[in-house]
Amino acid sequence: MKKLSLLFIALLASTVAFAQVDEGEETEQVQEQIEGSTMVQPVRKPVETPWKQETTGEFAEAVPFAYQRQADVMYYHVIWRRIDLRDKKNHPFYFPAETKGTWRSLAQTIFDAIDFANPDNENSLPVYSDELCTTPYSREELQTSLTREIQQPIVDPESGDIIDYTTIYEQFSAKNVMSYNIKEVWFFDKQTSKYYVRILELEPILEYERETASSSNYDDEEEAEEEVRAQKTRRRIGHIYYEELRPFLVKQEIFNVKNNAQRLSFDDAITFKRDFNGYIYAEDNVYDRQISEYIANARDQMIESERITEKLRTYESDLWEF
């Protein structure tokens, strides 16, 4: 009996020892992965709720549209719309300004899809230089569009006067994206007798304060004219083909202001529910011009935008007579 007890104790001790060795080897392997990786390795998944949170976004796929025959399109009209993220309705697309757990803004989702850190990633999101999405930007051109030069003054420590200027480079982040331009096509299908809208491309717009005259190297004659407060400056990153962006949007949830337990994806909110506010700043026309090019007053521009919106809205109802 004593021999059996001693044998059982020996087996138990060896099992614990091997478990500790395996655990130690696994810890060392994880540590080696962490030390050899340039990415920040999380300890666990983000702790956001007291219940187990299922991540279905990894397996989500964008719902494809039904095949559209050109012969069935009896009418279509192309417009350009601007979505300003300062609008309260559009806040779910801007916040959070910084990534918080699994919660990301629309701009951060796009930046992660472009994947600036891995230039050899073949599955990254391409960005194009034209709105027809035919010529993609290179990685160097994208980095240049997200960087600006700032002339920082060098001050003499004794006199306090500016003796020279040095150039520093500031990198823009997702929180600098304050608006989006989208290109839409509205068309009527005579086969289904329905009026459809499709987003063709999306263009993120950066916004930042430009330098004032006091912080830039201006000539004395120009300084009087340039001595103004800092003004907002817009910069376009590039054009993104919306069908190439949808696979990334469908995997990222957007904050649902009505019910946080039923979050939608960005693809649901933009493509199908169209849960955003925007105004039309251009429509397809023979002169190839925007509204601001033939209407100078801002109030009249908004009236013209509403006129175009009403024209699109009432087209389908005007087809029917009773």
Side-chain angles (χ1 to χ4, degrees):
M1 188 66 181
K2 292 183 178 179
K3 292 182 179 181
L4 292 176
S5 302
L6 292 174
L7 181 60
F8 176 76
I9 294 173
L11 290 175
L12 181 62
S14 61
T15 303
V16 173
F18 279 118
Q20 291 178 351
V21 171
D22 294 340
E23 184 179 357
E25 291 179 354
E26 184 178 356
T27 305
E28 290 178 359
Q29 292 176 359
V30 173
Q31 187 66 25
E32 289 177 0
Q33 292 177 1
I34 294 175
E35 292 177 354
S37 175
T38 57
M39 302 294 291
V40 177
Q41 301 293 332
V43 178
R44 64 176 69 85
K45 293 183 179 180
V47 181
E48 298 178 300
T49 57
W51 53 86
K52 182 179 179 181
Q53 195 168 5
E54 301 294 338
T55 55
T56 58
E58 298 178 358
F59 309 100
E61 294 182 359
V63 178
F65 295 116
Y67 175 73
Q68 183 63 49
R69 294 178 63 247
Q70 183 179 357
D72 293 335
V73 179
M74 60 172 295
Y75 165 86
Y76 82 92
H77 197 64
V78 180
I79 64 167
W80 288 261
R81 189 186 305 273
R82 177 161 297 161
I83 301 174
D84 194 338
L85 299 185
R86 281 174 288 261
D87 191 327
K88 186 177 180 180
K89 178 72 172 179
N90 301 327
H91 281 180
F93 298 99
Y94 180 77
F95 292 101
E98 303 289 345
T99 302
K100 184 179 179 182
T102 59
W103 187 20
R104 293 182 295 177
S105 64
L106 175 59
Q108 189 62 55
T109 303
I110 294 175
F111 279 27
D112 292 343
I114 296 174
D115 197 7
F116 294 101
N118 300 313
D120 298 330
N121 186 4
E122 297 180 354
N123 298 322
S124 61
L125 178 68
V127 181
Y128 300 89
S129 59
D130 60 320
E131 68 178 23
L132 298 179
C133 300
T134 59
T135 308
Y137 277 129
S138 64
R139 289 290 174 152
E140 292 75 14
E141 292 172 331
L142 279 177
Q143 290 290 353
T144 302
S145 65
L146 291 174
T147 308
R148 70 161 175 161
E149 296 182 359
I150 299 178
Q151 299 296 325
Q152 186 174 14
I154 300 176
V155 181
D156 188 349
E158 297 181 357
S159 63
D161 298 331
I162 298 177
I163 58 177
D164 200 359
Y165 288 86
T166 181
T167 303
I168 61 174
Y169 297 91
E170 180 184 6
Q171 190 78 19
F172 294 113
S173 61
K175 64 182 180 182
N176 293 111
V177 177
M178 296 301 301
S179 60
Y180 295 92
N181 292 342
I182 59 175
K183 181 180 179 181
E184 301 175 348
V185 55
W186 294 68
F187 62 94
F188 186 83
D189 187 344
K190 66 179 183 180
Q191 183 69 26
T192 59
S193 298
K194 289 185 179 181
Y195 201 30
Y196 297 97
V197 56
R198 298 283 189 272
I199 299 177
L200 298 180
E201 61 96 8
L202 178 143
E203 184 183 20
I205 306 297
L206 294 168
E207 194 168 301
Y208 58 94
E209 290 185 357
R210 73 177 188 181
E211 297 177 87
T212 59
S214 58
S215 62
S216 301
N217 191 11
Y218 294 109
D219 296 332
D220 295 338
E221 296 180 357
E222 298 179 355
E223 188 173 354
E225 298 179 359
E226 298 291 342
E227 190 65 37
V228 294
R229 294 181 179 179
Q231 297 181 1
K232 293 291 184 180
T233 302
R234 293 190 178 96
R235 176 185 294 186
R236 299 181 176 184
I237 298 177
H239 302 269
I240 300 173
Y241 181 42
Y242 191 69
E243 284 302 309
E244 294 177 345
L245 177 62
R246 287 188 64 200
F248 299 97
L249 298 182
V250 76
K251 296 181 180 180
Q252 180 59 44
E253 292 180 334
I254 183 174
F255 187 86
N256 190 345
V257 295
K258 297 180 180 179
N259 186 357
N260 197 22
Q262 295 179 352
R263 291 191 180 181
L264 304 171
S265 68
F266 279 120
D267 185 56
D268 295 330
I270 299 175
T271 307
F272 298 104
K273 297 183 73 68
R274 294 181 60 84
D275 194 14
F276 57 82
N277 279 346
Y279 62 91
I280 298 174
Y281 68 89
E283 67 172 335
D284 206 7
N285 59 87
V286 66
Y287 305 106
D288 191 23
R289 62 183 181 179
Q290 300 182 9
I291 295 177
S292 59
E293 297 181 37
Y294 61 91
I295 298 178
N297 185 271
R299 177 177 175 273
D300 293 338
Q301 291 176 9
M302 295 305 299
I303 294 176
E304 176 70 6
S305 175
E306 290 296 329
R307 184 193 67 81
I308 298 173
T309 302
E310 187 65 20
K311 179 180 68 174
L312 294 172
R313 185 183 296 116
T314 58
Y315 174 79
E316 183 179 12
S317 61
D318 292 343
L319 294 175
W320 308 102
E321 293 184 3
F322 297 96

